[in-house]
Amino acid sequence: MRDSSYNSSTQTKQIVSRGGEIKVMKKSLSLLLVMALVFGMFASMASAADLSAKDKYDVLIQKGILKGTTTGDAQLDAKLTRAQFATIAAAMAGLTPATVGETFSDVKKNQWWYGAIEAAAKAGLVNGTGGGKFSPRANVTVESVIKVAVILAGKKPVDGAKVTGSSAWAGPYIQAAIDEGLISARTDYKSDATRGQTIDIAYNAYELLQGPKVTGIKVLDEKNVEVTFSDNKVEKVTLPTALEANKETEITVTHEGKTYKVKVTYVFQALKVESVNAVNLKEVEVKFNKAVDIDTATFTVTPVGGSVIADTPVLSADEKTVSLALASNLAQNSYVTVDFSGVKAADGTPFAPFSVTVKVNDTVAPSVAEIKSLTKDAETNAFEVTFSEFAYLDTVKVGDVIVAPFSLDNKTYTFTLPSSATKFEAGKTYEAVINGLRDLAGNYATQPLKASFTVVRDQIKPVYTLVPVNPTQFDIVFNEEMQNTVPVDAVVVKNAVTDATLFQSGLPVRQSDKKSFRVTLMGAPIAPDKTSVELKVSVKGFNDVAGNTVEAKTSNVTLLKESVKPEMTTVRLMPSTNNRLEVTFSEPVSGIATTDFALTDSDNTVIAITSVENSAGTAVSATDASNRVYLDTAALTYNGTFKLANIVDSVTDTSGNKNIAKVISFTYNDVVAPQVTAAIVADKNVDGTLDLTSATQAVAVKFNQTDVVNGISVATGNFKDGAANNPANYTLNGAALPSGTVVKFIDSFDADMDGTVSGGETTDRGYDLVQIDFSAVAADAKATALKEGGKIVVTASNIKTVAGSTIPFASAELNVVDVTAPTIAGAYLTGDASDASLKLTVQFSEEVTYAAFDNTKLVLAGKQADGTTSATNLLLTAPAYDGADKTKVVFTIASTDLDVTKPVTLTATSVSNIKDVATTPNDLGAAGPISVVIYATN
């Protein structure tokens, strides 16, 4: 391998021996591992950072990659000869030892290295040292090893690269190795390569060749797992079968072409609401901790003191977030109550009805979420902008032309050029300048807001597939976003066997993905004696957003009849009534009549059922969205057990299945549990004193019944159902109570509820008063209003009495009185004492005022140059805020003899009239002395 023959030109083609392509170019893992053993110039991996070369040597032997020496000595300082190197390089390349030829005068057939050196030379892996010689006993250099490593690793040399410390011919290979992370930069490329270097880096190469390592596993839910790798990439695995809760399971994940097996455990979490927020004045979001089913759910949004304004809920792609677009706008800084019922976990587990009050506070300006222009022609006169939220705007210009806006929802706008303007050309990029963009709360975007779009020409017609949904519905699913307009004759549905036309219950409805249209058929297309029906569906007239029309065609879809029979699942006597039953079925059913049921008492006396209604009292013959109907009956006056029977084959599900017979018993004791109510007050002991302050930080919840559920269930170890001392039944400002909040009953023997049980208090008052104490909450987790005064909203829900009554949702806006005095958090001195330009900046703990500031009570102290005499003229004058920051006040100091190399202190001796901004301001009071940080000069 003579240096003179390693010229600076580089080869990018595969190395070919006289026998054909060498095997190494197939990059098998085994050959790369061999390369790792020899060419120890790879960059260190973090996982090997704490291992010595000897440690790595031992690991490689344990893994069977190295055999070790007969003496057990690692021989880390030994050199690697050119013959040894050529022999291993030939083996790595999968070359057959040569038997003919004599490329080098000093490599003879009778020498052990002949076959390997000759084969490697013919393959272009090694060259001589000049004069027709190979010098087999000479030591191999670092740069020679790097060259072969780069070739065998399939890396491309960097043309013309020059690397300090290397020969000219080696620079391109070394630079490639550095760029690819095979080596770290060094300067000893011409030196001999040692066995120690080889072993040290072989381990790192082995680690590198294993591919990225798994560095993190996150189980999102029972069917979705995220696996993070050392290359900072994440693979999301969707499992075909749900993980069994709390059981370690091995799953397979593929990353960069390599298969990994990892063990995961799905820790079951009960479904809960993570947050409820008014994201703007037109949208409310409810976020859950796991996927939910909202098919039978009802969501409402009601402004405090107003009427319901919620619209249809939309579930996010991950099925964890429900978005509610509202029919009318919310008011900024108002409060709304969000209620829902009928939500289920993905496994069908029902979620209890939920209610919470949240504050509407939109402070985020709108932005451009998407801007695009698609056309099937060479030019167009329009483009579309979707904003991050519902928004208004003044004007939009492209160049000097004002474009006309059109929007159905004030979120997605289509802008059109006037007929006199030159159209936008396909392939060209334009800039839209949007003036006056603002959201419903008045938050303005950057003015003007600029956004660019490129006109894309799309001449490809959309295609679709038909997807069955249920026995009466199917979807037309397109491969791209479609226009919402549907011609009246766009879809014709016929029975594929009889050719009879099937009527639809309206035009196909575009779904939230904007790619699918749902077709709903009138009646039941599947015959009673059949389990399926094949439909012949003709589709035409649908246009994609570029204007391409789908090719008219007819295709078939099969709808299947669901064979599970419906059944009555629950019966409940409605609270505070003795004649109204709530009946729930396993699925939607129709054909319901009073004659489908039989109600009897414990003596088998039949009790009349007078009507079938919905929850609003309107007569119906089918279940509502929650699969419920309500039966009005004759008054239940007899104490005891009653039975409601649903007669077999009396009602029908959407697949035409008749119900099974079912009898459900329930009891009525002729006593309705008194309705429990809750009052949330800013009086922590309900003793008549409004003592909710920034110091006490506690409120009370007063119930009108004394048998409110309290404590922990011995059977479950959790709070009893409906326990009033369960923090989960309360919220603060629309969120769960922060960690550290203490929820407790005030002692039931504290008759006057002053917080203390005195000697004369011997009567058990029962459980009717709960205190919510926020004082132990960490400062960074505590609501600002609790620390500095202001408004808080506390809610209570899902609380029960032992008698079985549940409180209506309760909410209260409470005022926290600020009684916390401001403090001095720090102070620093700037300027120059020599010219009386000193400034003292004081940082207070909160916003303050200084209109009546008394500078004799806030005292600065320091020394003159002799260190004993106090400086003069240190009075603080001319206070001013530090810009808009009212927590910082800057004072002027007239002193010229203050030595700023010596300590300076600040002391508040008494009332200084520096006060906070509370309704009843709190004075700074006595504080200090504190050390002043000095940035000033003399």
Side-chain angles (χ1 to χ4, degrees):
M1 293 184 294
R2 67 180 179 275
D3 292 349
S4 60
S5 65
Y6 280 94
N7 54 54
S8 60
S9 65
T10 58
Q11 298 178 349
T12 59
K13 63 182 181 180
Q14 295 181 335
I15 303 172
V16 179
S17 69
R18 295 178 185 176
E21 182 181 358
I22 63 174
K23 298 177 184 177
V24 71
M25 289 295 106
K26 296 181 180 180
K27 300 183 183 177
S28 71
L29 178 60
S30 60
L31 294 181
L32 287 174
L33 286 175
V34 177
M35 179 186 72
L37 297 179
V38 181
F39 307 125
M41 315 317 157
F42 295 86
S44 295
M45 305 290 289
S47 60
D50 297 329
L51 295 179
S52 67
K54 179 60 168 61
D55 293 333
K56 296 173 185 177
Y57 172 77
D58 292 338
V59 171
L60 292 175
I61 289 178
Q62 291 170 7
K63 292 182 178 291
I65 297 172
L66 287 181
K67 293 182 179 179
T69 63
T70 56
T71 63
D73 182 5
Q75 300 179 8
L76 301 180
D77 295 328
K79 300 289 197 261
L80 194 67
T81 68
R82 288 170 56 81
Q84 291 171 327
F85 173 70
T87 300
I88 300 175
M92 288 165 46
L95 301 176
T96 301
T99 57
V100 296
E102 191 174 302
T103 302
F104 305 107
S105 61
D106 55 352
V107 178
K108 304 297 183 182
K109 286 185 178 182
N110 60 348
Q111 295 172 312
W112 66 265
W113 53 64
Y114 166 78
I117 293 175
E118 189 67 26
K122 290 177 179 178
L125 286 177
V126 298
N127 288 18
T129 55
K133 294 186 177 183
F134 183 75
S135 306
R137 292 184 176 84
N139 293 328
V140 69
T141 62
V142 171
E143 59 189 8
S144 297
V145 173
I146 291 175
K147 177 195 171 182
V148 177
V150 169
I151 293 172
L152 293 180
K155 306 303 178 184
K156 183 179 179 180
V158 179
D159 290 338
K162 296 180 180 180
V163 179
T164 302
S166 73
S167 302
W169 62 265
Y173 296 96
I174 294 171
Q175 190 60 55
I178 294 172
D179 292 347
E180 296 292 341
L182 295 177
I183 65 168
S184 297
R186 55 201 299 165
T187 58
D188 60 345
Y189 301 107
K190 295 181 182 180
S191 64
D192 296 340
T194 67
R195 178 177 169 85
Q197 290 173 319
T198 302
I199 291 173
D200 182 46
I201 308 302
Y203 179 89
N204 301 334
Y206 172 77
E207 291 280 289
L208 180 67
L209 292 168
Q210 302 313 297
K213 288 192 171 186
V214 174
T215 57
I217 300 172
K218 182 178 182 181
V219 180
L220 302 177
D221 52 45
E222 56 267 37
K223 294 198 70 174
N224 294 283
V225 178
E226 283 185 350
V227 182
T228 304
F229 292 85
S230 55
D231 58 3
N232 295 321
K233 295 181 180 178
V234 177
E235 298 286 354
K236 184 173 182 179
V237 183
T238 300
L239 304 173
T241 305
L243 294 169
E244 185 176 340
N246 305 315
K247 178 182 177 182
E248 187 176 66
T249 306
E250 186 175 78
I251 66 170
T252 300
V253 57
T254 301
H255 179 63
E256 301 293 339
K258 180 179 174 61
T259 299
Y260 297 78
K261 290 187 180 297
V262 296
K263 292 183 177 181
V264 301
T265 300
Y266 167 55
V267 178
F268 174 76
Q269 289 183 317
L271 180 63
K272 68 177 183 179
V273 175
E274 288 196 331
S275 65
V276 179
N277 291 300
V279 294
N280 53 59
L281 302 194
K282 195 76 171 178
E283 293 175 292
V284 170
E285 278 188 353
V286 182
K287 291 188 177 182
F288 296 87
N289 66 325
K290 54 194 298 186
V292 295
D293 177 354
I294 63 169
D295 288 346
T296 60
T298 300
F299 288 79
T300 61
V301 177
T302 310
V304 173
S307 56
V308 175
I309 58 172
D311 205 341
T312 304
V314 176
L315 194 59
S316 62
D318 65 1
E319 300 182 339
K320 293 182 180 181
T321 301
V322 176
S323 297
L324 301 166
L326 306 181
S328 58
N329 299 348
L330 301 173
Q332 179 78 320
N333 295 318
S334 65
Y335 288 88
V336 294
T337 299
V338 182
D339 301 271
F340 66 78
S341 61
V343 172
K344 301 176 184 177
D347 62 4
T349 303
F351 188 75
F354 182 90
S355 182
V356 68
T357 297
V358 297
K359 187 175 183 178
V360 182
N361 184 24
D362 179 11
T363 60
V364 179
S367 60
V368 173
E370 183 182 30
I371 181 169
K372 62 184 178 181
S373 178
L374 297 175
T375 179
K376 63 183 178 64
D377 303 314
E379 56 186 15
T380 182
N381 66 347
F383 63 96
E384 182 182 275
V385 180
T386 299
F387 296 106
S388 58
E389 58 178 302
F390 298 89
Y392 301 119
L393 50 84
D394 293 335
T395 61
V396 177
K397 296 177 67 176
V398 178
D400 294 327
V401 180
I402 296 178
V403 291
F406 172 77
S407 179
L408 292 173
D409 60 4
N410 288 108
K411 190 171 185 180
T412 298
Y413 284 78
T414 298
F415 296 95
T416 306
L417 288 166
S419 58
S420 59
T422 303
K423 292 185 176 182
F424 304 124
E425 295 182 34
K428 288 191 175 182
T429 299
Y430 300 85
E431 183 179 71
V433 180
I434 305 169
N435 292 287
L437 179 65
R438 60 204 180 275
D439 65 15
L440 307 183
N443 299 303
Y444 274 80
T446 303
Q447 299 297 319
L449 182 64
K450 299 180 180 180
S452 297
F453 64 93
T454 300
V455 180
V456 176
R457 187 174 188 180
D458 174 12
Q459 295 181 295
I460 300 176
K461 294 181 178 181
V463 296
Y464 68 89
T465 56
L466 301 178
V467 178
V469 176
N470 58 45
T472 61
Q473 294 180 314
F474 63 88
D475 284 347
I476 307 170
V477 182
F478 290 91
N479 65 325
E480 59 180 309
E481 185 177 336
M482 303 294 290
Q483 295 180 20
N484 194 29
T485 305
V486 180
V488 293
D489 60 347
V491 179
V492 176
V493 184
K494 294 184 177 183
N495 185 301
V497 176
T498 66
D499 206 42
T501 299
L502 302 180
F503 294 101
Q504 304 165 46
S505 61
L507 291 175
V509 178
R510 190 175 70 166
Q511 302 299 291
S512 59
D513 64 358
K514 298 184 179 180
K515 297 180 180 180
S516 305
F517 291 82
R518 181 152 297 174
V519 178
T520 301
L521 302 175
M522 295 179 63
I526 304 176
D529 60 340
K530 301 294 184 182
T531 59
S532 65
V533 63
E534 186 175 6
L535 305 179
K536 184 168 58 176
V537 182
S538 300
V539 176
K540 66 178 182 179
F542 288 90
N543 295 314
D544 64 17
V545 293
N548 299 297
T549 304
V550 66
E551 183 175 343
K553 71 171 185 176
T554 300
S555 51
N556 290 10
V557 63
T558 299
L559 303 185
L560 299 176
K561 180 185 290 185
E562 177 261 318
S563 60
V564 178
K565 292 178 177 291
E567 63 176 304
M568 182 173 66
T569 56
T570 64
V571 176
R572 180 173 70 119
L573 180 64
M574 295 299 290
S576 303
T577 73
N578 63 357
N579 66 341
R580 188 169 176 83
L581 303 179
E582 178 189 77
V583 180
T584 306
F585 285 87
S586 58
E587 58 180 303
V589 295
S590 59
I592 307 173
T594 58
T595 55
D596 298 335
F597 303 91
L599 178 61
T600 58
D601 61 20
S602 58
D603 290 333
N604 290 323
T605 301
V606 176
I607 300 170
I609 298 174
T610 58
S611 65
V612 179
E613 300 176 344
N614 60 19
S615 60
T618 304
V620 295
S621 61
T623 52
D624 61 17
S626 300
N627 302 332
R628 298 187 183 113
V629 291
Y630 297 84
L631 307 181
D632 280 351
T633 72
L636 304 182
T637 57
Y638 183 80
N639 296 336
T641 301
F642 297 82
K643 293 180 180 179
L644 181 70
N646 180 209
I647 299 169
V648 67
D649 294 340
S650 61
V651 299
T652 309
D653 67 12
T654 55
S655 291
N657 299 304
K658 297 291 185 179
N659 65 292
I660 64 174
K662 190 72 172 285
V663 178
I664 296 178
S665 299
F666 64 96
T667 58
Y668 172 50
N669 296 320
D670 203 19
V671 177
V672 177
Q675 179 62 57
V676 62
T677 59
I680 304 169
V681 294
D683 178 0
K684 68 177 183 178
N685 295 313
V686 195
D687 57 4
T689 303
L690 295 180
D691 48 12
L692 175 56
T693 70
S694 57
T696 58
Q697 300 180 351
V699 302
V701 184
K702 180 69 173 69
F703 300 95
N704 69 332
Q705 306 295 327
T706 59
D707 63 339
V708 178
V709 176
N710 168 38
I712 303 295
S713 167
V714 177
T716 66
N718 294 321
F719 282 99
K720 294 175 183 177
D721 182 33
N725 59 332
N726 183 356
N729 291 331
Y730 304 91
T731 69
L732 173 65
N733 295 338
L737 299 184
S739 177
T741 304
V742 176
V743 180
K744 64 181 180 180
F745 278 92
I746 292 182
D747 196 296
S748 59
F749 285 94
D750 182 9
D752 59 6
M753 295 175 290
D754 63 356
T756 303
V757 179
S758 60
E761 295 176 320
T762 58
T763 302
D764 189 346
R765 193 186 69 255
Y767 292 103
D768 66 346
L769 183 61
V770 166
Q771 187 180 91
I772 305 175
D773 189 347
F774 303 103
S775 59
V777 175
D780 59 354
K782 192 175 294 183
T784 302
L786 286 171
K787 296 181 289 186
E788 300 178 6
K791 302 290 186 181
I792 62 171
V793 175
V794 179
T795 71
S797 60
N798 303 322
I799 297 170
K800 301 179 180 180
T801 64
V802 175
S805 177
T806 302
I807 69 166
F809 175 75
S811 175
E813 182 181 79
L814 306 175
N815 184 56
V816 183
V817 178
D818 182 6
V819 297
T820 305
T823 60
I824 298 176
Y828 58 89
L829 202 61
T830 58
D832 194 323
S834 64
D835 59 4
S837 64
L838 291 174
K839 300 285 186 181
L840 178 71
T841 302
V842 181
Q843 173 71 64
F844 295 95
S845 58
E846 56 182 304
E847 290 189 359
V848 296
T849 62
Y850 51 75
F853 164 60
D854 183 348
N855 63 3
T856 66
K857 303 295 177 22
L858 191 61
V859 179
L860 189 70
K863 300 294 183 180
Q864 296 184 23
D866 62 10
T868 59
T869 306
S870 296
T872 60
N873 297 321
L874 292 180
L875 281 178
L876 305 181
T877 61
Y881 292 122
D882 185 7
D885 188 353
K886 294 184 179 181
T887 67
K888 286 184 181 180
V889 179
V890 182
F891 299 91
T892 297
I893 304 163
S895 177
T896 58
D897 60 7
L898 176 65
D899 187 352
V900 296
T901 65
K902 294 180 171 56
V904 177
T905 61
L906 178 67
T907 304
T909 59
S910 61
V911 177
S912 60
N913 282 329
I914 291 181
K915 300 181 179 183
D916 63 16
V917 293
T919 303
T920 303
N922 301 289
D923 194 272
L924 175 64
I930 68 165
S931 296
V932 175
V933 178
I934 298 175
Y935 301 116
T937 58
N938 281 319

